[in-house]
Each structure stands twice: as C-alpha cells, then as structure tokens.
Amino acid sequence: MGYLKDFQTHIANHDYPSFLKLWEEYCSGDEVEAEELCDILRSVKPSDIAEPFGRHVDRILPLWQKLPEGPLSHEAIKLIYDVQTSNSESLAELAYHYLSKLYGDQKYFNEKIRLIGLRGKEKFQGVISNYELLSHMEKGKFVFHTGGWGVGEIVDVSVVREQLTLEFDYVPGKKELSFATAFKTLIPIPDDHFLALRFGSPDLLEKKAKENPVEAIRMLLRDLGPKTAAEIKDEFCDLVIPANEWTRWWQTTRAKIKKDTMIATPDDIREPFHLLKIEVTHEERLRQVLENKPDANTLIQMVYTFLRDFPETLKNNEFKATLIEKLSEMLSFKEISTPQELQIHFFLQDLRNERESPAIVEIIKHYETIEQIIHNIEILAFKKRGLIEARKHRTDWKESFLDLLFKVDQSTLRDYILSELSSNGASDALKQKLQDLYTYPARYPEAFMWYFQKLQTQHEIPFSDKQGKTQFFEGLLILLSSIENDPQQRELVKKIHALLSAGRFAIVRQRMQESSSEDVKEFLLLASKCHSLSDHDQKIFHSLSEVAHPSLVKSRKKQETAATQEEQVIWATSEGYQKLQQRIQQIATIETIENAKEIEIARAHGDLRENAEFKAALEKRERLQFDLKFLSDQLNRVRIITKEDISTDEIGIGVIIECTNNKGQRVSYTILGPWDADPDKNILSFQSKLAQSLTGKLVGDKFVVQGDELTINSISSYL
C-alpha cells in the first residue's frame, strides 16, 4: 500500500491538482490492490475534492476489472459509483450489467433499476449502494442513519409511495423517509451486525457477551472498527451488559482479550483495540517484540509476563530454543547489570530444566550484600528466588535476613524470611528484632501491621502468647496515634481502623478479656490519645474493658472527665485558629470541586480496573473527605489560648522554655496547639510526645532530646 498515505496527505491539504496527478499515476499502473483502492476511495468520499474528482474516478475501471471477484472487488466498485459524478453512458451500461449479473433474478429487479435512476441514466451516483439498500428495505431490517439518528428499524415500506417508516435509536416516535432521502442518509445493517443485534435482540447479544465475551468484542471491532476501552464501554455498558455488572465483566473480558490471537491489545488505555487481519500466535508476538531489541529491564518483565500468561507456549520446542538463544545473547551485552544478569539466568535455569545453575551461585556468592540483590530486582518471584539462593549459598544470610525483615515491602518476602529465621537457629536474635518492632512501631509501620495480623492467626511464631499479643496491641495504638496526622499514612490509618472494628471489635474484645486490668487501663489511655478514633469508638473500648474488668466501672467517670479536660480540647492561638478555618474552606470548596472534575475526566478514559488516574482520583476523594471530617471535629474542640490559660510555674500550654545543653549552647522550645506547631522553629504541639514528657517540669529540671541532655533555665509566657 504505497499510495494511500500520499493520497490522504493531498486530501488533508485540500490539494486537488496534486491528488489528481497522483491518481493518474496510480491508474497507469499494471495492477492495484483491492484493499488499498477501497481505502483511497473511502478517504476521498467525504472530502471537499470528491465532487470534481468524481469526473475522473472511472479511470481506475480497467485495473478494477483485473481484480479477482470477491468482497473487496465488490466494495471497490460500490465506492467507485458512490464517488463518480460524470453519469456517463458507459458507466450506466457497466452498472446495469454488473447489477444484472448479481441480482437479475431478484423479484422487482426492473422496478429497483428505475428507482435508483439507472433507467433514465441521467443521475445515478451511488447506484450499486442504493440498489442494495432497496433490496434491504424490508420490515424488521435495520439501517444506520448518517445524520445522527442512530440505528433504525424498518417498520413499513411502500413502493407505491416510494417511502419507508422507521423507529430510530435517538429520535422519539416513528419517522417517514422518502426513498430519495433514504439513499442519501441510510446504510443497510446486516442481520448479524453488532448494531442490529444490540438494537433488535439485546437479550441475545447479552447472552452471547456473557457466554463468549471475546467473540462479542471481535464482532464489535469487526463491524464498528477499532475502539478504545472507553468506547467499548459506551457500546456495551447498560445497552448490553447491566451497569452494576460492567466492571467485573470487563475485567474478565480484558484478561481473555489479551490472550486472543486475533485482537491487538494496546499498551495505553487511551489507544484502541483492533482486529488483526491475520491471526498472530503468542509466540510470534513475542518474537516480533524481541526483534526490536528492547532494553534489559523491559525484556525481563516482558518475558516473565509472557511465560506466566502463556506457559503452554513452551511446548513448542522451536520457540523455546529461540527464547533461550535470545536470552543467552543478552548476557553478552556490556551494559547489562548484575541483577539483570541474575534474572536472565533464572529464566535460563527454568527453560533448561536445570536443578542448579553455577552462574547463579557465582553471582549470589560474590554480590556485596543480599539487600542490594533484592533491591535491584523488580519481579517479586525473582526477589524470592534471590533470597532462596542466598540462603543456600551465603554464610551471612542470617544477619542479612534479620536486617531485611522490616525493609522489604512485600509480605511474601517477609513470610519467607521469618520462616527461615524461625527454623534455623536465629530465634533469639529474631525475638530481639520483633521486640524493637513493637517498642518502636512507627519506625516500620507496614512491617508492624504485617506481623500484628500474623499474630491473630498463627500460634507458633514469637510473641503469639497472651503477653506478646498485649505488647503488640499497645504498639498498634501507639502507631495509630503517631501516624494519624500524617497525610502519607492515610491508607494505613484506615486499615488500622478497619482492623480494630472488624467483627464488632473482635480484636479489642479479645485483648480486653485476656489482659490484666492494669494493661487494659494502658489500652484506654493509649486509645484516648488516638484522635482519629471517634467518640463512639472510644465508648466501645470502655464498654468492652468494663465487661472484662468490672472494677474499672468505678473509675470511668473520673477518666472521662480527665479525658475531656486534657484530650478533647485543641489549644490554638488566634493565628492557628484562622489557619485551621482556611484549610477547611480550601478542602470544602476548591480541592473538592477540582477532585470531582478529575474523577469525571478519568472516568471518561474507561477500563476502570486498569485506569490509574481514576483510582488515584477516588483515593484523593477519600483523603479529602477524611481530612474534612477530622479537621471539622478539631475545629469544634478548639479553644483559643489566653493569658489566663498560661502558667509559668511549670511547663504547660503556651509557654516558652529556655534551656542549655551539655555544651553550654542555648536552645528554646515553645508549646502551643497542633495548628501553631512548627518543628523547624522548635514550636511543639502540646499533643507531641516531647511536649507531653515536658509537661509539669520546673526550672532546673533536666530532660533528654535525641541523646542530648538539656537543663531548663526559665519558663515564660508566649503571650
């Protein structure tokens, strides 16, 4: 197809002289490709040069006559007559003979010849298309309206009045069209066409889409051309697949489409799916990609995904040998890194069915640290294989595994490391490591949550006894209070809330029942410092504690009063109060409106399962709603600091503390509310751990900050 692009360029530039010159050259050849000829005529048909060009289109007829008979040849002659404007005697004769050959034995043939204007031979543009439309005009048949009325069903035809009656998709009521108007605006739709089934037999199409979704997508692409995920949704959702079933159906269908050998799946969700002209096997697709010589990381990810999705391709020994050859060739590249080399050797070991790979052992033994190996491998399965090989071939594996336990991000890797450390003589060191985890839970929040959840279901791991679970439950509440104001930890905070409230607070109930009253008091104190726990949550904590330990009922009112005085008040200066109000207004107006627009734009991209923009926009909406609720609750509890609230006899809210460290350097701290806090200026929130540890101290007292001992020299009022 060497001419199509040049023709389309001249059409786009409205360059009729150049187009006509190229057409003369095209017609002077020895032969044409039917598909290219059809594409050229389709391109010119709706353009502004179609009318003058129509006087010259018949120059292609000698070459058209050389085409073998078939659908493409028929489509080409239809398009020639759609474009022609000369209405010459020779064209009329050719059209009559062509139609007679195909349809001469049809009923009312001569009447149809009259209706399409071929008997008078004065004006017969589109004559073949019009004849086929006339033959299609029967009650119950479907047509497409090019003027925007959508699909229509023919409900009546009158040859006498030369008129038909239709019901359309997008136009209410029945519409009557003359044959002359129909010739200009209607396109016949075959009975097995996607649009005919969707309009006339939606239940049948829904059944087909659910039983064989890939076949339904093939039909759509065959009849309507390439479609993006969003456009596929427009054609199917509600009209074929109910909206409440769409997401699940599309997730399943998309996974099957990726494995189909006749549908090309785009890498970008904004690009269209399209039908292939020739079936391309999975092996051939990978070969084509490999021929483009992708970089090492792309190749590794591609081969891994391919072998995971299509393991049956390895039964093809020729393909398997080719893949081994390509991967082996990659090893000779100078730019390849050691982690990439290791992953390629993993592939080769599997493809060759080797029990042991000397190359893998060599890399593992001489790599500087196990952590570097794991960090530089992207594929999770290969990260674990790297750990397994390190466990077998490195003497420093225990120390490395202990160091990695909380650093790796994937639970699968943590589970493997924990298993190996627990069963291979590292239990004491492991216990010390886990003790650090519950003592300082905010250092590794994700790792803490991973182990806390394991403690609820496994009984053979360290700290799975009652005391251990008590210690980790305290750690959970400490973690919640530490991260609940951190915007980057919103998801983890929600996860903790869900964990605590699951099964009607089952975990909380169990810990209250199995712990001593002193431990339970500590739970309640820690929970009171978790401001993201609602008043309802706090009441449940107290109720469960009193059921488990009735002696706590007597002190409840006293505790509630103390909590109200010390914890429920959010202290703030006038400036801090205004800052809080402004932040609430910013979220409630500007950010919420912008987020709503982001959601609608992302939703339009379709394919919600793999639409990263849509997921991010929804997550942002959840964060904004959470922040708005949290900040509004704080605003209701704000009390503006006055001079009367500040006492300089001891450290408390609203004071400035002047201190001296061991080197004689002077340091000052100010204690205010959370909305006035500024760590860079040593302005502490009264809720912070340091501020709470300082509360009540006097001039001359000492305290420690980050290993540095300071002495309090003076206490003065901020106001």
Side-chain angles (χ1 to χ4, degrees), residues 236-448:
F236 273 96
C237 188
D238 262 350
L239 299 170
V240 180
I241 302 296
N244 61 340
E245 299 177 21
W246 169 256
T247 301
R248 179 178 295 179
W249 182 86
W250 177 241
Q251 288 175 356
T252 304
T253 301
R254 184 176 173 83
K256 292 179 178 179
I257 290 173
K258 287 182 178 180
K259 298 183 180 182
D260 189 73
T261 55
M262 283 300 296
I263 300 176
T265 302
D267 295 326
D268 189 324
I269 63 171
R270 288 165 288 196
E271 295 298 318
F273 294 82
H274 65 271
L275 273 182
L276 299 169
K277 293 176 182 176
I278 302 174
E279 184 176 22
V280 179
T281 65
H282 302 305
E283 295 93 328
E284 184 58 32
R285 285 186 182 180
L286 184 61
R287 281 196 188 99
Q288 291 173 2
V289 174
L290 294 177
E291 289 302 323
N292 295 328
K293 296 182 178 180
D295 62 79
N297 276 338
T298 303
L299 181 139
I300 289 167
Q301 189 65 56
M302 192 177 303
V303 172
Y304 176 79
T305 303
F306 180 87
L307 295 179
R308 180 196 63 197
D309 292 342
F310 311 111
E312 68 278 2
T313 58
L314 295 181
K315 295 177 182 178
N316 183 335
N317 291 328
E318 181 184 350
F319 169 72
K320 188 175 180 180
T322 301
L323 190 54
I324 290 174
E325 180 184 348
K326 290 292 183 183
L327 290 168
S328 300
E329 183 183 328
M330 286 289 294
L331 293 173
S332 63
F333 294 172
K334 292 182 180 180
E335 63 272 17
I336 194 170
S337 67
T338 304
Q340 291 168 345
E341 181 183 355
L342 177 63
Q343 293 174 86
I344 292 174
H345 279 299
F346 282 149
F347 282 130
L348 293 173
Q349 183 183 19
D350 292 342
L351 292 170
R352 293 168 177 163
N353 296 318
E354 297 174 340
R355 295 188 63 182
E356 194 75 66
S357 169
I360 292 175
V361 175
E362 187 70 15
I363 292 172
I364 292 291
K365 281 185 174 180
H366 292 90
Y367 216 89
E368 187 174 345
T369 66
I370 297 176
E371 182 178 353
Q372 288 178 332
I373 296 174
I374 305 307
H375 178 72
N376 292 312
I377 293 177
E378 294 185 6
I379 298 171
L380 177 59
F382 284 172
K383 285 178 182 283
K384 185 172 180 180
R385 285 182 69 167
L387 288 174
I388 292 172
E389 293 294 333
R391 166 68 183 85
K392 291 193 296 185
H393 301 295
R394 290 187 66 119
T395 57
D396 64 343
W397 73 268
K398 289 182 183 178
E399 295 81 0
S400 297
F401 277 27
L402 281 167
D403 187 51
L404 277 170
L405 182 58
F406 303 150
K407 292 182 179 179
V408 293
D409 295 329
Q410 299 84 4
S411 294
T412 304
L413 302 184
R414 292 194 192 109
D415 289 343
Y416 173 72
I417 292 172
L418 178 66
S419 174
E420 290 300 316
L421 290 173
S422 299
S423 58
N424 288 281
S427 56
D428 291 340
L430 176 60
K431 285 182 179 179
Q432 182 58 51
K433 190 81 175 176
L434 293 170
Q435 185 174 334
D436 291 341
L437 184 64
Y438 74 69
T439 305
Y440 307 104
R443 288 182 181 175
Y444 300 103
E446 296 290 346
F448 178 90

Side-chain angles (χ1 to χ4, degrees), residues 16 27 125 527 567:
Y16 177 62
C27 295
Q125 188 179 28
E567 301 294 339

Side-chain angles (χ1 to χ4, degrees), residues 7 16-28 37 40-41 44 49-64 79-88 90-91 125:
F7 276 118
Y16 177 62
S18 297
F19 182 93
L20 189 59
K21 184 177 179 181
L22 186 62
W23 180 251
E24 291 174 354
E25 178 186 329
Y26 185 70
C27 295
S28 65
L37 175 59
I40 292 170
L41 294 173
V44 74
I49 66 175
E51 185 173 353
F53 170 67
R55 296 192 297 271
H56 307 280
V57 69
D58 57 351
R59 295 182 186 179
I60 200 65
L61 287 173
L63 293 180
W64 169 79
L79 287 165
I80 290 171
Y81 276 93
D82 287 347
V83 173
Q84 74 85 23
T85 54
S86 64
N87 297 303
S88 67
S90 60
L91 278 175
Q125 188 179 28

